[in-house]
Amino acid sequence: MVMEYHNPVLLHETVDGLNIKPDGIYVDVTFGGGGHSREILKRLGPTGKLIAFDQDKDALENDIDDERFLLINQNFRFLKKFLRFHGYKTVDGILGDFGVSSHQFDVAERGFSTRFEADLDMRMNRDSNFSAYTVVNKYEEAQLRNVFSNYGELRSAAGMARLIVEKRQEEKIKTSEQLKNVLGRFLPAHKENKILAQIYQAIRIEVNQEIEALKEFLLQTNEVLESGGRISLISYHSLEDRLVKRYIRNGMFEGEPEKDVFGRVEVPFKAVEKFIIPSKEEIKENNRARSAKLRIAEKL
Ligand SMILES: C[S@@+](CC[C@H](N)C(=O)[O-])C[C@H]1O[C@@H](n2cnc3c(N)ncnc32)[C@H](O)[C@@H]1O
């Protein structure tokens, strides 16, 4: 079940990055199939603790029967609130393996994959009433253009947005097939898969508010980590990685931190390594690993 649900990427590197103390308290904010969580539990002693988050109810099927473990079905943007709620003020390490699981991609009706015909959905949290349908059918043209341009880095963002707004007046765009037909002129056969993947990525990031959630989460890591505690975070696209990199370097997402009178800057983290990417062997065995980038940092 677990191996089918998701094959963990950079498993040992990411967990090594946490520098686990057997009696420490750790958080896995993207539980999924629990591959990383199981590896953390292996390295914890009897008094260690692991708290995991996943906003997708499907992940609850992989819950681990272990008294050191707690799985919370919530968005990691509420990290601090739910840690406090369960009685944890500070922790020793936080692991994040962002984006979508193989399970979410592989279940056709979730609507994440360009491989299947499905209703426009893409919600990780299916209690939300905000889906790909909402973005495609309700967003104003300028909002759609921004989504395609900012999150899909699509050169034809403006044309795509215009065409969607025009066509949806005739008929609502309810399925992946309809969306593909509407945008047909932007999908030349030799680039169809690549461009569709960019379109899907853009809509998915918007539906799940992935950038906002990541920023809110990163800012809280500083508040909940003990000094010397680690973050070990895997990103799968440059928008995410840029935020993680800048946060580790500067403690902020834009601009540069202010210097004090001695020209020193105060930043919350120190990078442990530049970054780690999967080996050729791992990518050969698990194609999903191909775009992964792991960054590890220690709280000062
Ligand atoms: C790449 S998978 C993680 C796989 C996991 N490391 C494993 O070994 O099986 C990402 C998981 O994080 C969850 N997720 C993504 N963004 C989230 C968020 N903002 N809050 C909570 N869970 C999130 C997804 O639902 C998905 O199950």
Side-chain angles (χ1 to χ4, degrees):
M1 166 73 193
V2 171
M3 288 317 282
E4 285 165 15
Y5 194 98
H6 187 86
N7 190 358
V9 171
L10 289 168
L11 178 62
H12 295 284
E13 296 84 341
T14 310
V15 179
D16 287 349
L18 291 175
N19 207 10
I20 290 191
K21 297 186 288 185
D23 60 347
I25 304 170
Y26 294 87
V27 187
D28 174 357
V29 292
T30 49
F31 178 70
H36 288 99
S37 278
R38 281 166 211 277
E39 185 59 33
I40 295 173
L41 284 168
K42 272 192 214 160
R43 302 186 193 191
L44 285 176
T47 57
K49 288 271 176 277
L50 173 63
I51 303 113
F53 285 68
D54 203 299
Q55 62 176 328
D56 188 344
K57 283 204 168 62
D58 284 4
L60 301 181
E61 286 170 32
N62 306 313
D63 199 353
I64 304 170
D65 183 15
D66 186 316
E67 58 187 20
R68 301 166 302 166
F69 179 70
L70 171 69
L71 178 56
I72 304 175
N73 182 210
Q74 287 291 343
N75 195 307
F76 59 59
R77 74 198 299 175
F78 307 123
L79 174 71
K80 193 169 106 186
K81 177 173 151 185
F82 283 98
L83 285 181
R84 294 260 154 109
F85 179 79
H86 288 281
Y88 299 98
K89 209 164 167 213
T90 57
V91 300
D92 299 292
I94 302 171
L95 184 148
D97 175 20
F98 302 121
V100 177
S101 68
S102 306
H103 168 82
Q104 288 162 332
F105 272 125
D106 292 343
V107 175
E109 78 249 21
R110 302 292 304 261
F112 285 105
S113 171
T114 57
R115 285 172 292 158
F116 308 117
E117 274 184 39
D119 286 346
L120 292 180
D121 190 336
M122 302 197 202
R123 289 166 304 162
M124 290 190 201
N125 170 8
R126 275 172 292 167
D127 291 335
S128 156
N129 51 19
F130 183 74
S131 68
Y133 176 87
T134 326
V135 173
V136 170
N137 290 282
K138 304 270 161 73
Y139 267 30
E140 312 232 330
E141 187 178 323
Q143 288 177 295
L144 270 175
R145 188 185 59 224
N146 286 340
V147 169
F148 288 143
S149 152
N150 296 341
Y151 300 155
E153 298 175 287
L154 284 151
R155 275 209 230 125
S156 309
M160 289 178 177
R162 200 174 318 122
L163 199 56
I164 287 177
V165 170
E166 190 188 306
K167 294 284 184 188
R168 75 188 186 194
Q169 277 159 8
E170 296 161 20
E171 188 185 11
K172 295 275 183 238
I173 304 168
K174 292 190 182 138
T175 66
S176 54
E177 205 55 17
Q178 280 174 292
L179 182 64
K180 213 163 117 178
N181 289 339
V182 165
L183 294 178
R185 82 165 75 133
F186 295 104
L187 302 170
H190 67 290
K191 282 205 243 163
E192 180 176 314
N193 289 344
K194 181 170 178 278
I195 297 178
L196 259 186
Q198 285 171 275
I199 293 170
Y200 271 54
Q201 171 180 295
I203 298 175
R204 187 201 94 202
I205 291 176
E206 181 67 12
V207 168
N208 296 290
Q209 300 283 294
E210 291 180 32
I211 300 300
E212 293 80 356
L214 178 59
K215 283 182 170 173
E216 286 172 29
F217 157 74
L218 285 170
L219 291 167
Q220 292 169 60
T221 59
N222 178 26
E223 292 178 59
V224 301
L225 268 180
E226 287 282 355
S227 174
R230 296 270 185 97
I231 45 177
S232 192
L233 305 175
I234 310 176
S235 304
Y236 291 89
H237 54 77
S238 57
L239 297 167
E240 270 171 359
D241 182 58
R242 202 178 304 144
L243 291 175
V244 173
K245 180 172 91 179
R246 292 190 62 86
Y247 184 67
I248 289 174
R249 192 189 328 138
N250 291 337
M252 58 203 323
F253 306 117
E254 300 291 336
E256 295 296 323
E258 271 183 32
K259 295 193 168 118
D260 69 11
V261 285
F262 305 107
R264 292 175 306 208
V265 289
E266 214 177 288
V267 290
F269 285 95
K270 145 180 125 204
V272 171
E273 308 211 20
K274 203 165 168 229
F275 60 81
I276 297 173
I277 54 172
S279 64
K280 285 201 190 90
E281 292 73 40
E282 178 169 358
I283 295 171
K284 213 162 120 196
E285 271 176 32
N286 180 5
N287 187 42
R288 221 194 99 73
R290 71 192 182 284
S291 45
K293 208 175 223 187
L294 167 64
R295 291 187 189 268
I296 302 162
E298 190 166 303
K299 168 93 186 281
L300 292 166

